[in-house]
Amino acid sequence: MEEIIANVENGIKNLPIRAAENIRMETARILQRAALPKNLTRKESRALRELRQDDSIVILAADKGNATVVMESTD
């Protein structure tokens, strides 16, 4: 995140103050909502790779909550 903020600051240094402040606020909002990547074990990563290669199933994010849905492609 620090690198992103530094790059944004570098990119907006020549903009008018109001435009630069709007970009800072939007950048902060986006970074606050960003989800950190989850650390998976090797076993979990291998299992996920194998599931993704299986054409008979579909892996989707659930409509609500922080969940994953695995279902048959025909459904």
Side-chain angles (χ1 to χ4, degrees):
M1 286 193 185
E2 292 172 2
E3 185 177 349
I4 293 170
I5 293 168
N7 288 334
V8 168
E9 286 297 323
N10 188 42
I12 64 174
K13 63 184 174 188
N14 294 326
L15 292 177
I17 294 172
R18 182 168 283 190
E21 189 59 31
N22 287 338
I23 292 171
R24 280 187 194 99
M25 289 179 7
E26 184 67 14
T27 302
R29 186 186 66 78
I30 291 169
L31 290 176
Q32 287 174 345
R33 291 184 177 196
L36 296 175
K38 296 180 181 174
N39 294 328
L40 300 177
T41 65
R42 286 183 181 161
K43 189 175 182 180
E44 291 169 332
S45 294
R46 183 173 49 241
L48 187 56
R49 253 192 325 273
E50 289 174 7
L51 286 172
R52 285 185 177 148
Q53 292 174 351
D54 187 349
D55 293 333
S56 68
I57 61 171
V58 177
I59 304 171
L60 303 168
D63 290 341
K64 294 183 179 178
N66 189 17
T68 302
V69 177
V70 180
M71 57 191 285
E72 291 185 29
S73 297
T74 57
D75 293 340

